[in-house]
Amino acid sequence: MHSSPLPVAEQQHVANGAHFDVVIIGSGAGGGTLARTLAASGLKILVLERGDWLPQEPQNWDAEEVFQKNRYVSKDVWHDKHGKPFQPGSHYFVGGATKMYGAAHFRLRQQDFEVLRHFDGLSPAWPLRYSDFEPWYQRAEELYHVHGLRGEDPTEPPCSGPYPHPPVAHEPRIQKLVDDLRAAGLHPSHAPSGVMLDEANMAFSRCRKCNCCDGFPCLVHAKSDADVLGMRPALASTTVSLLTRAEVRRLHTDASGRSVTAVELQRDGETLQVSGDVVVVSCGAANSARLLLMSANDRHPRGLANGSDQVGRNYMFHNSKAMVALAHEPNTTVFQKTITINDWYLGDADFDYPMGNIQMTGKTNGQIMKGYAPLETFLMPGWSMDKIAEHALDFWISSEDLPDPDNRVTIDGEGHIHLSYTPNNQTAAQRLYGRLSGMLDHLYLKNHLVERQIYIKSEMSIAAVGHQAGTCRFGSDPATSVLDLNCKAHELDNLYVVDTSFMPTIGAVNPSLTAIANALRVGAHLVDRLTV
């Protein structure tokens, strides 16, 4: 089932030297959403995607292929601050990282846009407030088919309307967990899920509520990703073109350095150049910084738009852990990702500082557990891991990591990413873990929580790049930011960045909905700029 007709051949071929109204580099939550937003304007748009279409194949839902064999993980090699190479958990496909995400579409809390004091430091204020983003959040939830229920979450920010779709129903074991948590005084709420689900008419629902959503590509295109809901609808307009397998290597400027005049890319071994009245970078926080740094020239010796020396700095990706709670009672849940707990998001009576967000992950099975912890489970047969997984409740706990200019992306002479990162705000993460484990102990579990490795074949936490943000923060002051309030580079007249790079802070919830909302906001600005 497709959400739009197949693109015609002319939309998938671009001549060397071709010119467009807008060139968008990257097709994920930012770029894919922006393409759809601009498609109705009649503007001539080109999207450049480093990857290809993710194939629809049986392996999409094969846990061994996805979690143990890394079938869809990029072959990139990055380096840490010691120069040690590692493989990031990145995915390059039409739709970007959203092809593999869990489609948990949270709004940042209202307090996340303001100065927020943490136990271990300060989260600075945004140059805009929650009220500036609220209409775009509402539109983003509608565009990405978000299911939820207002009024359950004690930290929920003000909203101008209900969720566009009813909450995803809890299965019996999860409903029991909800009831037990509420009896203990907590406020578990339905997780905001982006799925094309109609539980009242399952015979006609695209989503089947299977166990192959979180961390898998969706074989039936029922997950609200930027391929299905961004690029495919955008390509229904014949003024939109998409070039896959197109890795952008450099942005060229005019002699003044004020305007991007050419986008240099490599495709199937061939070097091409295209141009646009406006060029939008949306490669993900690390790769967007990389591209700007690779585009240094005489006018921008430290990298394009980097007169402030802020490009690549303030990289964030959350203090996150995937936790498995092993209980005596079997957990037969299939679609588990329906709960979130935010009672401790901003602190509690015993800790007057933010702690973070708790949510469920997709239901673990034996193959997934062996993928997450291959060394620890190497000698264990799959059937024994399945038996363990039958008793597992699977949680994702996330605390904010604070912006630090020394946590940064740099590149070497060959353009390889070097990611220097030192963890911070660890007290909050430890307290949140303690709150969850203490609550489960109180309810019905003992000696239950074990930490999973986040990514296969990687002992390094920085390899978990799914929530990356920062590196090109927006702001009013060109001396301390890369982008202005419309996400245009301060130093260039036609260069924008619309992925999570723009975020000054990351909060403690998934950044995808904020990237989508911001792309809608910037898209409205670009329509005004280019069509009035």
Side-chain angles (χ1 to χ4, degrees):
M1 183 182 295
H2 296 279
S3 56
S4 64
L6 287 171
V8 298
E10 289 78 8
Q11 291 177 276
Q12 302 174 81
H13 173 78
V14 174
N16 188 32
H19 183 80
F20 298 82
D21 296 315
V22 183
V23 176
I24 302 171
I25 305 167
S27 63
T33 302
L34 181 64
R36 179 173 179 176
T37 301
L38 298 178
S41 67
L43 293 168
K44 189 180 179 185
I45 300 158
L46 171 64
V47 180
L48 299 170
E49 170 53 50
R50 177 175 178 174
D52 210 333
W53 297 97
L54 193 148
Q56 284 182 275
E57 56 187 5
Q59 292 89 343
N60 287 175
W61 284 355
D62 186 325
E64 181 179 359
E65 289 288 333
V66 173
F67 289 95
Q68 295 184 43
K69 295 184 179 180
N70 274 352
R71 185 177 184 88
Y72 303 110
V73 176
S74 77
K75 305 302 182 186
D76 273 7
V77 176
W78 297 3
H79 297 80
D80 69 7
K81 62 184 178 183
H82 303 295
K84 182 179 178 181
F86 68 94
Q87 183 183 24
S90 53
H91 307 91
Y92 301 139
F93 297 100
V94 177
T98 68
K99 291 305 295 181
M100 310 296 289
Y101 74 170
H105 286 309
F106 290 88
R107 299 183 183 206
L108 286 173
R109 311 293 94 169
Q110 188 169 10
Q111 294 87 341
D112 287 323
F113 289 84
E114 301 162 3
V115 175
L116 197 54
R117 187 166 297 281
H118 291 255
F119 183 84
D120 292 331
L122 199 69
S123 182
W126 286 41
L128 298 176
R129 291 296 183 263
Y130 171 79
S131 58
D132 298 305
F133 280 82
E134 197 285 329
W136 306 109
Y137 273 132
Q138 190 71 31
R139 176 63 180 137
E141 289 169 347
E142 295 166 1
L143 198 66
Y144 277 73
H145 293 255
V146 180
H147 294 247
L149 184 63
R150 307 284 190 219
E152 296 181 303
D153 184 342
T155 68
E156 182 179 65
C159 301
S160 56
Y163 279 105
H165 300 281
V168 180
H170 303 310
E171 295 179 41
R173 180 65 185 91
I174 302 305
Q175 184 62 58
K176 182 180 186 303
L177 175 61
V178 168
D179 294 341
D180 292 340
L181 291 169
R182 285 177 177 164
L186 295 181
H187 302 82
S189 54
H190 287 85
S193 299
V195 287
M196 282 166 275
L197 172 68
D198 184 353
E199 290 189 271
N201 299 285
M202 284 302 292
F204 297 89
S205 175
R206 189 184 299 194
C207 175
R208 277 77 164 157
K209 287 190 75 174
C210 71
N211 185 30
C212 296
C213 187
D214 195 5
F216 294 86
C218 183
L219 184 57
V220 295
H221 287 182
K223 181 160 59 176
S224 299
D225 63 42
D227 164 17
V228 175
L229 293 178
M231 286 309 308
R232 290 174 192 255
L235 288 166
S237 170
T238 56
T239 62
V240 178
S241 298
L242 169 67
L243 205 60
T244 59
R245 306 186 309 280
E247 182 178 357
V248 175
R249 300 292 297 172
R250 187 178 184 87
L251 303 179
H252 297 273
T253 71
D254 60 10
S256 71
R258 292 293 309 180
S259 181
V260 175
T261 54
V263 177
E264 180 184 321
L265 62 103
Q266 289 187 338
R267 186 172 195 259
D268 299 337
E270 182 182 7
T271 298
L272 303 172
Q273 287 194 1
V274 295
S275 60
D277 293 342
V278 164
V279 174
V280 182
V281 176
S282 189
C283 310
N287 277 302
S288 286
R290 171 181 179 254
L291 176 57
L292 297 182
L293 294 171
M294 287 172 61
S295 301
N297 60 30
D298 289 344
R299 289 289 183 178
H300 300 272
R302 292 192 291 194
L304 210 58
N306 196 26
S308 62
D309 191 32
Q310 292 298 303
V311 171
R313 294 188 182 273
N314 301 293
Y315 178 91
M316 300 165 286
F317 72 109
H318 280 146
N319 293 315
S320 296
K321 295 181 187 297
M323 313 299 297
V324 178
L326 300 176
H328 294 294
E329 182 178 353
N331 178 13
T332 58
T333 304
V334 178
F335 192 94
Q336 180 174 256
K337 201 177 175 72
T338 60
I339 291 183
T340 183
I341 305 167
N342 282 319
D343 290 80
W344 300 302
Y345 194 93
L346 297 169
D348 63 12
D350 298 319
F351 188 72
D352 192 26
Y353 299 95
M355 283 181 269
N357 166 261
I358 298 170
Q359 56 184 285
M360 310 300 287
T361 68
K363 184 69 190 78
T364 294
N365 61 34
Q367 295 292 347
I368 293 174
M369 293 185 77
K370 287 181 74 67
Y372 276 128
L375 298 179
E376 294 87 337
T377 62
F378 179 74
L379 296 177
M380 299 181 70
W383 65 264
S384 66
M385 296 300 298
D386 284 335
K387 286 295 183 183
I388 293 173
E390 286 176 4
H391 292 263
L393 289 166
D394 310 275
F395 295 90
W396 181 268
I397 65 173
S398 183
S399 296
E400 182 169 359
D401 57 332
L402 304 177
D404 180 344
D406 292 328
N407 285 342
R408 65 183 300 194
V409 172
T410 57
I411 59 170
D412 59 27
E414 297 180 343
H416 297 140
I417 287 176
H418 289 247
L419 180 54
S420 177
Y421 185 87
T422 301
N424 62 46
N425 206 26
Q426 296 294 289
T427 302
Q430 294 162 3
R431 294 296 181 101
L432 186 60
Y433 169 82
R435 294 297 191 276
L436 175 61
S437 59
M439 178 55 65
L440 295 177
D441 279 346
H442 171 71
L443 291 176
Y444 38 71
L445 301 169
K446 284 289 183 182
N447 300 321
H448 53 277
L449 285 180
V450 293
E451 183 176 341
R452 301 196 312 225
Q453 288 178 256
I454 302 302
Y455 277 91
I456 312 157
K457 299 179 182 176
S458 174
E459 299 175 359
M460 302 175 61
S461 61
I462 58 171
V465 299
H467 289 191
Q468 59 181 291
T471 73
C472 298
R473 54 174 23 176
F474 80 151
S476 303
D477 184 358
T480 59
S481 59
V482 178
L483 311 171
D484 70 12
L485 300 190
N486 289 317
C487 291
K488 184 187 75 67
H490 288 298
E491 299 171 18
L492 290 103
D493 298 325
N494 69 336
L495 177 64
Y496 290 76
V497 180
V498 297
D499 53 29
T500 52
S501 303
F502 90 98
M503 296 172 65
T505 65
I506 196 172
V509 292
N510 310 49
S512 56
L513 192 72
T514 301
I516 293 164
N518 186 60
L520 294 171
R521 184 182 73 90
V522 175
H525 158 76
L526 287 176
V527 169
D528 288 344
R529 169 175 172 168
L530 295 172
T531 62
V532 174

